[in-house]
Each structure stands twice: as structure tokens, then as C-alpha cells.
Amino acid sequence: MPSYRVQPIEPDLAWRVRATLRSPGYDYPAYVDLATAEGPCRVCLNPFRSGADRAVWFVYDPARGRGPGPVPGPVQIHEEGCQAYRSITPSPVTGLDPALLRSGCGLLLQGFSACPQGGGTALESADGADALGAALTRLFAEPSIEYVHVRRADDGCFLYEVTC
Ligand SMILES: [Zn+2]
């Protein structure tokens, strides 16, 4: 059974955004508002308590110059500090932590090679743990694929990165 490493947004970067209310690498403001969507928070990967939690919204490029081009989009993190997601407890059925399905919608996956000129794979959709596991297996079967970006299927917003 493959083991995957899940990388949320780095806590240090999240703290800089909370402190400056600026989007990293862009001249766009970040702003704080009530969290209205399920999220999840891109640091702890926990869903927001709608109407109760406050979130910092900002523009984030998960490729950070590594991908074939910039892929910025909006993300949300808890306004207050939270514990970064660090490890997975494999499910005996799928090998994937149920936390990785907390987006409340289907998922889109795209694999990238370590070489920016290598480009990215076509988007794959996945709905549910079995489909996510199968999509990761397919993407990482390609030797050139070094990392996979997982996004919400409904709005395309980045959730987390997976390496194998
Ligand atoms: Zn959080």
C-alpha cells in the first residue's frame, strides 16, 4: 500500500499572511471575515464552523515557481493559529486519512514533474476515498510525477499537495 505525504500550506507562510494581511508573492490584500464555506482551513485541513470561525482569505500560488506556470487562487486559513496537518493515519481500506476528504465536495487532482518544463498532467476528478486513492495511484505511476495538487472540484481552489 503506498504511503503519501500530505503538505498543507506552510505554517510560517500562514503566520506571515495573518501578520501582514498580504497575499504572498502578490500585491493583493488578504482579508478577514467569517468563514462561510466548509473550507477546509489550508493549514490544519479541518472544516470551518460556518458562522462561528473567522478566516483569513488570500491569494496563494501552490506551484511557487515550480510548475509550468503560476496557478494562483483564493484560499482560507483560520484567523487564529491552528495545528498544521502533518501526518496521516492510513485507513485500513484506502490508505488515506478521511481528513483528506473534508472539502465537502469532489476533488480535482493534477500531477506535476519536478522539472517546470515537464508540465502537468490533465486534471483528474475524484469523489470519495476510493476514487482519490485510485487517482493518486494512477498519477504516481508515471515516473516523472513528483507531486500532486489536490483542489476542490466545485471552485478549483487549492487544498493540499501530496507526494509519494
Ligand atoms: Zn486551521
Side-chain angles (χ1 to χ4, degrees):
M1 183 173 293
S3 100
Y4 300 112
R5 179 170 182 270
V6 175
Q7 180 64 53
I9 287 180
E10 285 288 346
D12 287 352
L13 182 144
W15 280 116
R16 281 199 303 278
V17 171
R18 292 181 184 113
T20 64
L21 289 182
R22 305 300 297 179
S23 297
Y26 294 92
D27 192 28
Y28 304 142
Y31 70 98
V32 179
D33 204 347
L34 276 176
T36 56
E38 293 176 332
C41 168
R42 299 329 195 258
V43 176
C44 64
L45 300 186
N46 286 316
F48 293 110
R49 295 171 300 155
S50 185
D53 286 343
R54 290 171 61 83
V56 180
W57 305 60
F58 61 99
V59 174
Y60 177 67
D61 181 1
R64 296 178 294 274
R66 298 174 302 156
V71 284
V75 292
Q76 306 170 63
I77 60 174
H78 280 113
E79 179 188 27
E80 304 294 333
C82 53
Q83 184 74 39
Y85 183 89
R86 276 297 172 217
S87 62
I88 61 173
T89 306
S91 145
V93 176
T94 66
L96 294 171
D97 186 337
L100 305 184
L101 300 166
R102 283 183 189 154
S103 65
C105 67
L107 302 170
L108 292 174
L109 292 84
Q110 188 173 27
F112 294 93
S113 72
C115 169
Q117 290 76 27
T121 64
L123 285 170
E124 289 212 27
S125 60
D127 199 353
D130 289 347
L132 175 58
L136 287 171
T137 299
R138 276 194 305 278
L139 289 166
F140 283 119
E142 169 55 49
S144 67
I145 295 304
E146 292 283 323
Y147 59 98
V148 171
H149 284 173
V150 180
R151 297 172 176 273
R152 294 178 59 97
D154 58 353
D155 56 17
C157 292
F158 175 79
L159 289 167
Y160 49 83
E161 182 174 300
V162 181
T163 54
C164 186

PDB file of all heavy atoms in Angstrom, residues 18 41-46 48 77-78 80-83, ligand 1:
ATOM      1  N   ARG A  18      -1.193  36.171   8.177  1.00  0.00           N
ATOM      2  CA  ARG A  18      -2.009  36.694   9.289  1.00  0.00           C
ATOM      3  C   ARG A  18      -1.447  38.022   9.793  1.00  0.00           C
ATOM      4  O   ARG A  18      -2.195  38.919  10.151  1.00  0.00           O
ATOM      5  CB  ARG A  18      -2.044  35.679  10.437  1.00  0.00           C
ATOM      6  CG  ARG A  18      -2.815  34.400  10.128  1.00  0.00           C
ATOM      7  CD  ARG A  18      -2.810  33.462  11.339  1.00  0.00           C
ATOM      8  NE  ARG A  18      -3.463  32.195  11.046  1.00  0.00           N
ATOM      9  CZ  ARG A  18      -2.838  31.016  10.988  1.00  0.00           C
ATOM     10  NH1 ARG A  18      -1.544  30.933  11.218  1.00  0.00           N
ATOM     11  NH2 ARG A  18      -3.525  29.924  10.710  1.00  0.00           N
ATOM     12  N   CYS A  41      -9.711  24.702   6.282  1.00  0.00           N
ATOM     13  CA  CYS A  41      -8.536  25.537   6.522  1.00  0.00           C
ATOM     14  C   CYS A  41      -7.354  24.863   5.843  1.00  0.00           C
ATOM     15  O   CYS A  41      -7.143  23.664   5.989  1.00  0.00           O
ATOM     16  CB  CYS A  41      -8.294  25.667   8.025  1.00  0.00           C
ATOM     17  SG  CYS A  41      -6.685  26.376   8.448  1.00  0.00           S
ATOM     18  N   ARG A  42      -6.575  25.641   5.072  1.00  0.00           N
ATOM     19  CA  ARG A  42      -5.485  25.038   4.300  1.00  0.00           C
ATOM     20  C   ARG A  42      -4.231  24.785   5.138  1.00  0.00           C
ATOM     21  O   ARG A  42      -3.213  24.340   4.606  1.00  0.00           O
ATOM     22  CB  ARG A  42      -5.110  25.918   3.113  1.00  0.00           C
ATOM     23  CG  ARG A  42      -6.185  26.174   2.071  1.00  0.00           C
ATOM     24  CD  ARG A  42      -7.194  25.099   1.833  1.00  0.00           C
ATOM     25  NE  ARG A  42      -7.908  25.345   0.599  1.00  0.00           N
ATOM     26  CZ  ARG A  42      -9.138  25.852   0.519  1.00  0.00           C
ATOM     27  NH1 ARG A  42      -9.838  26.115   1.629  1.00  0.00           N
ATOM     28  NH2 ARG A  42      -9.699  26.050  -0.651  1.00  0.00           N
ATOM     29  N   VAL A  43      -4.285  25.059   6.430  1.00  0.00           N
ATOM     30  CA  VAL A  43      -3.154  24.738   7.317  1.00  0.00           C
ATOM     31  C   VAL A  43      -3.452  23.468   8.107  1.00  0.00           C
ATOM     32  O   VAL A  43      -2.680  22.519   8.087  1.00  0.00           O
ATOM     33  CB  VAL A  43      -2.839  25.905   8.276  1.00  0.00           C
ATOM     34  CG1 VAL A  43      -1.738  25.512   9.258  1.00  0.00           C
ATOM     35  CG2 VAL A  43      -2.431  27.136   7.481  1.00  0.00           C
ATOM     36  N   CYS A  44      -4.600  23.427   8.788  1.00  0.00           N
ATOM     37  CA  CYS A  44      -4.918  22.255   9.622  1.00  0.00           C
ATOM     38  C   CYS A  44      -5.802  21.247   8.893  1.00  0.00           C
ATOM     39  O   CYS A  44      -5.964  20.120   9.367  1.00  0.00           O
ATOM     40  CB  CYS A  44      -5.579  22.700  10.928  1.00  0.00           C
ATOM     41  SG  CYS A  44      -7.179  23.513  10.725  1.00  0.00           S
ATOM     42  N   LEU A  45      -6.371  21.634   7.776  1.00  0.00           N
ATOM     43  CA  LEU A  45      -7.278  20.808   6.964  1.00  0.00           C
ATOM     44  C   LEU A  45      -8.569  20.449   7.694  1.00  0.00           C
ATOM     45  O   LEU A  45      -9.270  19.513   7.307  1.00  0.00           O
ATOM     46  CB  LEU A  45      -6.586  19.547   6.428  1.00  0.00           C
ATOM     47  CG  LEU A  45      -5.372  19.769   5.532  1.00  0.00           C
ATOM     48  CD1 LEU A  45      -4.878  18.440   4.948  1.00  0.00           C
ATOM     49  CD2 LEU A  45      -5.673  20.752   4.418  1.00  0.00           C
ATOM     50  N   ASN A  46      -8.883  21.182   8.756  1.00  0.00           N
ATOM     51  CA  ASN A  46     -10.162  20.979   9.424  1.00  0.00           C
ATOM     52  C   ASN A  46     -11.215  21.886   8.792  1.00  0.00           C
ATOM     53  O   ASN A  46     -10.910  22.997   8.351  1.00  0.00           O
ATOM     54  CB  ASN A  46     -10.053  21.307  10.915  1.00  0.00           C
ATOM     55  CG  ASN A  46      -9.291  20.224  11.660  1.00  0.00           C
ATOM     56  OD1 ASN A  46      -9.519  19.038  11.434  1.00  0.00           O
ATOM     57  ND2 ASN A  46      -8.383  20.637  12.514  1.00  0.00           N
ATOM     58  N   PHE A  48     -14.249  24.538   8.597  1.00  0.00           N
ATOM     59  CA  PHE A  48     -14.633  25.690   9.406  1.00  0.00           C
ATOM     60  C   PHE A  48     -16.005  25.452  10.009  1.00  0.00           C
ATOM     61  O   PHE A  48     -16.842  24.769   9.417  1.00  0.00           O
ATOM     62  CB  PHE A  48     -14.677  26.962   8.555  1.00  0.00           C
ATOM     63  CG  PHE A  48     -13.341  27.394   8.051  1.00  0.00           C
ATOM     64  CD1 PHE A  48     -13.024  27.300   6.710  1.00  0.00           C
ATOM     65  CD2 PHE A  48     -12.383  27.894   8.921  1.00  0.00           C
ATOM     66  CE1 PHE A  48     -11.786  27.701   6.240  1.00  0.00           C
ATOM     67  CE2 PHE A  48     -11.143  28.300   8.459  1.00  0.00           C
ATOM     68  CZ  PHE A  48     -10.843  28.204   7.117  1.00  0.00           C
ATOM     69  N   ILE A  77      -7.604  30.332   5.640  1.00  0.00           N
ATOM     70  CA  ILE A  77      -6.970  29.696   6.798  1.00  0.00           C
ATOM     71  C   ILE A  77      -7.618  30.260   8.050  1.00  0.00           C
ATOM     72  O   ILE A  77      -8.202  31.350   8.025  1.00  0.00           O
ATOM     73  CB  ILE A  77      -5.448  29.947   6.840  1.00  0.00           C
ATOM     74  CG1 ILE A  77      -5.143  31.444   6.931  1.00  0.00           C
ATOM     75  CG2 ILE A  77      -4.766  29.325   5.618  1.00  0.00           C
ATOM     76  CD1 ILE A  77      -3.665  31.770   7.130  1.00  0.00           C
ATOM     77  N   HIS A  78      -7.530  29.517   9.148  1.00  0.00           N
ATOM     78  CA  HIS A  78      -8.055  30.042  10.414  1.00  0.00           C
ATOM     79  C   HIS A  78      -7.365  31.363  10.749  1.00  0.00           C
ATOM     80  O   HIS A  78      -6.140  31.489  10.591  1.00  0.00           O
ATOM     81  CB  HIS A  78      -7.805  29.046  11.550  1.00  0.00           C
ATOM     82  CG  HIS A  78      -8.794  27.921  11.587  1.00  0.00           C
ATOM     83  ND1 HIS A  78      -8.447  26.612  11.325  1.00  0.00           N
ATOM     84  CD2 HIS A  78     -10.122  27.925  11.874  1.00  0.00           C
ATOM     85  CE1 HIS A  78      -9.536  25.846  11.438  1.00  0.00           C
ATOM     86  NE2 HIS A  78     -10.560  26.616  11.763  1.00  0.00           N
ATOM     87  N   GLU A  80      -7.056  32.581  13.769  1.00  0.00           N
ATOM     88  CA  GLU A  80      -6.204  32.259  14.907  1.00  0.00           C
ATOM     89  C   GLU A  80      -5.270  31.130  14.501  1.00  0.00           C
ATOM     90  O   GLU A  80      -5.521  30.410  13.546  1.00  0.00           O
ATOM     91  CB  GLU A  80      -7.067  31.824  16.099  1.00  0.00           C
ATOM     92  CG  GLU A  80      -8.127  32.841  16.504  1.00  0.00           C
ATOM     93  CD  GLU A  80      -7.525  34.124  17.034  1.00  0.00           C
ATOM     94  OE1 GLU A  80      -6.405  34.081  17.572  1.00  0.00           O
ATOM     95  OE2 GLU A  80      -8.180  35.180  16.900  1.00  0.00           O
ATOM     96  N   GLY A  81      -4.190  30.967  15.207  1.00  0.00           N
ATOM     97  CA  GLY A  81      -3.271  29.883  14.905  1.00  0.00           C
ATOM     98  C   GLY A  81      -3.950  28.533  15.046  1.00  0.00           C
ATOM     99  O   GLY A  81      -4.892  28.372  15.825  1.00  0.00           O
ATOM    100  N   CYS A  82      -3.489  27.576  14.271  1.00  0.00           N
ATOM    101  CA  CYS A  82      -4.026  26.221  14.362  1.00  0.00           C
ATOM    102  C   CYS A  82      -2.875  25.248  14.122  1.00  0.00           C
ATOM    103  O   CYS A  82      -1.823  25.620  13.606  1.00  0.00           O
ATOM    104  CB  CYS A  82      -5.168  26.016  13.371  1.00  0.00           C
ATOM    105  SG  CYS A  82      -4.779  26.441  11.666  1.00  0.00           S
ATOM    106  N   GLN A  83      -3.102  24.021  14.501  1.00  0.00           N
ATOM    107  CA  GLN A  83      -2.075  22.991  14.386  1.00  0.00           C
ATOM    108  C   GLN A  83      -2.011  22.515  12.939  1.00  0.00           C
ATOM    109  O   GLN A  83      -3.008  22.045  12.390  1.00  0.00           O
ATOM    110  CB  GLN A  83      -2.448  21.822  15.310  1.00  0.00           C
ATOM    111  CG  GLN A  83      -1.431  20.715  15.370  1.00  0.00           C
ATOM    112  CD  GLN A  83      -0.203  21.101  16.174  1.00  0.00           C
ATOM    113  OE1 GLN A  83      -0.324  21.762  17.197  1.00  0.00           O
ATOM    114  NE2 GLN A  83       0.957  20.710  15.689  1.00  0.00           N
TER     115      GLN A  83
HETATM  116 ZN    ZN B   1      -6.714  25.796  10.617  1.00  0.00          ZN
END
